[in-house]
Amino acid sequence: MEYKYYRELKHNYLIAKDLGLDKSNCDSYQVRIVRNGNLKGFVPCDIRTINNEYFLYYEINSLQSIKDRFSSKGMGLQQLVRLFSDLKAALESLSEYLLGIENIVLDAGSIFTDLSTGEFYFLYCPFGNQGKDFASFIDELFDLVDHDDEAAVEMVYTCSESAQADAVLVLDLVKKMTESKKQVDRREEKIQTQELEAPSEDYLSFDYEEESLDEDYQVPDKGEKKRFAGKRDLSGKVQILFAFLFFGLLAAMVFIRMNFILSDEENILSVIVMLVSAVTGIVAFLSGIKDYTKGSGKLFSHKNRKAEMESDSEDDDLDDIDIYDNPATEGGYQEMPASTWDDYDYSEENIDMDTYKKPISVSSGLKGSDETVVLSMEDQGEREFTLYSRNTDKTLRIGLGKLPLTIGKMEGCVDNVISDKSISRIHCRFSKNAEGKILLRDLNSTNGTFKNGLRLNPQEDSFIEEGDEVRIGRICFDCR
């Protein structure tokens, strides 16, 4: 099934062509059902006539194909289960109108997802199967699944084995896969329950043996800790209150001295009162802040107490010995005299010599003794192709050394995030062909991708060379 992407005002269309459409088959029952938009889980479709030729217009708007969506970050177990669940709902929607499931286009480039809701939408072609069979589609999911998610890989592998069986019903197989959602939910609920019931690591790791604590120290319970913290909290607030009262008395004495005529004895008494009020207020304020902070903090941090005790003991031991990581032991530490360091074997068996680059020898001699040698391309090394922005407050640098590279503003879906309103959530992708040339493809973005001032057609590759200007949204980049 051949596609062409087309943008009309604020609408994005996927145009299907070369289907052999004519006036006779455009009035069929299947076409009328598809055009009315009664099928749930399918992309809305319309038929248009251009130069006496009929085309299917699928309105995709902001939807992204799963091929583009999961090219950077693979499909996890939850997303895979959601895909099968939405496919099951779409197949059941077809059965309501007595339509065959063979007309669903099962192709990674023909299945779309809503980036906001995570829902999946499918294409329905009313003129026969234009995509791959179900077994081939499952095999295609191997390239899209997150290989670090073992559960997701296992699900795809199981589904692939079942799809290879003869006389297997697609709807039954999809229903079987959707049952995994309940298993996932039960497993997550069980894990959460275990986390709630299990004691914390700090509680388990703390040593409550008598010798690890001071003789006068007793482990308080939760009620004691709360009461003690509350007392410290209240004490701090009272001291802060008294501090403000003393500051108020100080301000009153300053007001009296400035507005009234005092005798010598009254002047001396007012100065003494001012000094006492200032000193007492400052002391009460600082002490209140200290008590309030301690009352609100973690007063009984057993983990910190144990760490301090261990650090003290380690400091005493480290005065006499050196500790090193013995490669011959399994991750353990051994005590070793400092003199043994001189006898340690630094041969190639213990050092990975391949990690070191070839040394560069530079020598100085008499003036005019050596000639300048022109370096070859191998000596200069391959320079990474890089994009530099030139209309931003801070220069954005995008290295194209590791391709493919997807650019957009939606974290978790792209390789390089650019937070700008003119950038689509999944905007464009840089890749490399078999000849090593860099290709740029617009991923049906809203504001488009431009090369040297010309807007690229969606889903079409364009070569990028040094010196080209690339504009992504409203941000211009120079290719160097």
Side-chain angles (χ1 to χ4, degrees):
M1 190 173 184
E2 297 184 11
Y3 300 135
K4 183 178 72 172
Y5 288 83
Y6 173 70
R7 182 170 182 82
E8 184 180 80
L9 298 179
K10 294 184 179 180
H11 299 279
N12 292 327
Y13 294 99
L14 179 69
I15 305 176
K17 56 183 180 179
D18 296 337
L19 297 176
L21 302 178
D22 53 31
K23 187 176 181 180
S24 60
N25 54 21
C26 285
D27 295 331
S28 63
Y29 168 73
Q30 293 178 331
V31 173
R32 290 198 301 269
I33 294 297
V34 173
R35 297 184 68 174
N36 292 336
N38 296 326
L39 298 178
K40 297 180 181 179
F42 290 90
V43 179
C45 179
D46 190 16
I47 297 180
R48 296 186 183 183
T49 305
I50 302 176
N51 296 330
N52 295 326
E53 293 183 356
Y54 294 86
F55 299 90
L56 290 175
Y57 274 64
Y58 295 96
E59 188 174 358
I60 58 176
N61 290 334
S62 60
L63 301 178
Q64 283 286 348
S65 66
I66 61 175
K67 183 178 181 180
D68 295 330
R69 164 63 179 86
F70 299 105
S71 61
S72 300
K73 177 64 176 178
M75 185 181 299
L77 178 61
Q78 290 285 357
Q79 295 162 330
L80 191 61
V81 171
R82 181 65 181 272
L83 173 62
F84 286 119
S85 178
D86 291 346
L87 179 58
K88 172 178 172 291
L91 295 176
E92 292 176 348
S93 176
L94 288 179
S95 62
E96 294 180 4
Y97 295 94
L98 303 178
L99 297 178
I101 64 176
E102 66 276 1
N103 292 344
I104 298 181
V105 184
L106 294 176
D107 190 295
S110 305
I111 299 176
F112 295 85
T113 179
D114 190 333
L115 300 178
S116 301
T117 62
E119 297 179 357
F120 293 91
Y121 295 90
F122 304 87
L123 297 184
Y124 184 84
C125 180
F127 307 103
N129 188 5
Q130 300 292 332
K132 302 177 181 179
D133 56 10
F134 188 74
S136 301
F137 168 66
I138 296 301
D139 293 338
E140 193 175 8
L141 286 181
F142 275 110
D143 298 331
L144 300 177
V145 74
D146 185 5
H147 294 279
D148 294 331
D149 192 338
E150 296 181 358
V153 175
E154 182 179 357
M155 173 179 281
V156 176
Y157 183 76
T158 303
C159 187
S160 177
E161 287 184 337
S162 302
Q164 299 295 335
D166 296 334
V168 62
L169 296 178
V170 176
L171 183 58
D172 294 339
L173 180 57
V174 172
K175 288 181 179 179
K176 180 181 178 181
M177 293 298 104
T178 53
E179 290 297 324
S180 301
K181 185 177 188 303
K182 299 180 180 179
Q183 299 177 3
V184 172
D185 295 340
R186 287 196 297 268
R187 183 175 61 182
E188 291 184 350
E189 183 179 355
K190 183 177 180 181
I191 293 175
Q192 293 176 358
T193 305
Q194 292 176 352
E195 291 178 352
L196 292 175
E197 294 178 353
S200 62
E201 294 181 359
D202 295 344
Y203 182 81
L204 293 175
S205 60
F206 185 71
D207 186 9
Y208 287 101
E209 295 182 1
E210 294 182 358
E211 59 269 21
S212 64
L213 300 176
D214 298 336
E215 295 180 358
D216 299 333
Y217 182 79
Q218 294 182 356
V219 180
D221 57 9
K222 293 183 179 179
E224 247 186 278
K225 291 195 293 183
K226 290 182 178 179
R227 289 193 297 272
F228 187 76
K231 291 179 180 179
R232 296 294 295 268
D233 215 352
L234 180 60
S235 176
K237 292 180 180 179
V238 172
Q239 293 185 61
I240 293 174
L241 177 60
F242 274 106
F244 281 109
L245 290 178
F246 281 111
F247 290 150
L249 179 60
L250 176 63
M253 296 304 301
V254 172
F255 177 80
I256 292 174
R257 289 178 57 86
M258 294 178 61
N259 292 278
F260 296 95
I261 299 175
L262 305 177
S263 61
D264 294 340
E265 293 81 4
E266 292 174 342
N267 281 328
I268 295 174
L269 181 61
S270 63
V271 170
I272 294 175
V273 172
M274 290 172 60
L275 291 176
V276 173
S277 300
V279 174
T280 307
I282 293 174
V283 172
F285 182 78
L286 296 178
S287 178
I289 292 296
K290 182 179 179 181
D291 289 347
Y292 181 78
T293 304
K294 289 184 177 180
S296 302
K298 298 179 179 179
L299 300 178
F300 299 94
S301 178
H302 304 309
K303 185 176 181 180
N304 295 338
R305 181 177 178 86
K306 182 182 178 182
E308 293 177 359
M309 296 171 62
E310 291 179 351
S311 64
D312 293 340
S313 61
E314 289 177 359
D315 292 340
D316 297 338
D317 297 337
L318 287 175
D319 293 338
D320 301 326
I321 60 173
D322 290 337
I323 299 177
Y324 79 105
D325 188 6
N326 188 358
T329 61
E330 297 181 356
Y333 288 92
Q334 293 185 355
E335 298 180 358
M336 178 179 180
S339 59
T340 315
W341 286 101
D342 299 333
D343 301 332
Y344 188 72
D345 184 13
Y346 290 99
S347 62
E348 293 184 359
E349 296 180 357
N350 296 319
I351 300 178
D352 186 7
M353 301 303 295
D354 294 335
T355 58
Y356 291 88
K357 297 183 179 179
K358 185 178 180 180
I360 301 174
S361 177
V362 180
S363 60
S364 59
L366 298 176
K367 183 178 180 180
S369 60
D370 295 327
E371 297 181 354
T372 301
V373 179
V374 179
L375 296 177
S376 63
M377 294 301 296
E378 296 180 355
D379 295 332
Q380 294 180 3
E382 294 184 1
R383 185 171 55 86
E384 182 181 274
F385 204 68
T386 309
L387 301 179
Y388 296 91
S389 65
R390 55 183 173 85
N391 61 342
T392 55
D393 54 348
K394 295 181 179 179
T395 302
L396 300 178
R397 179 183 177 276
I398 301 177
L400 303 180
K402 296 181 179 180
L403 298 178
L405 176 72
T406 306
I407 295 178
K409 66 179 179 183
M410 188 174 184
E411 296 184 7
C413 296
V414 296
D415 301 308
N416 196 302
V417 178
I418 301 179
S419 300
D420 187 80
K421 294 182 179 180
S422 65
I423 305 296
S424 297
R425 286 172 290 191
I426 300 180
H427 198 101
C428 62
R429 177 184 296 115
F430 291 89
S431 60
K432 186 178 293 186
N433 62 1
E435 299 176 356
K437 295 183 178 180
I438 297 179
L439 305 175
L440 173 61
R441 171 179 291 194
D442 179 78
L443 300 179
N444 199 32
S445 62
T446 301
N447 295 309
T449 306
F450 297 80
K451 172 190 171 183
N452 297 330
L454 298 178
R455 181 164 183 165
L456 303 180
N457 294 325
Q459 300 294 337
E460 291 186 7
D461 293 327
S462 178
F463 290 104
I464 300 298
E465 299 178 349
E466 186 174 358
D468 288 341
E469 177 194 89
V470 174
R471 181 157 66 89
I472 303 174
R474 61 180 178 181
I475 302 179
C476 295
F477 293 90
D478 291 327
C479 304
R480 305 177 190 173

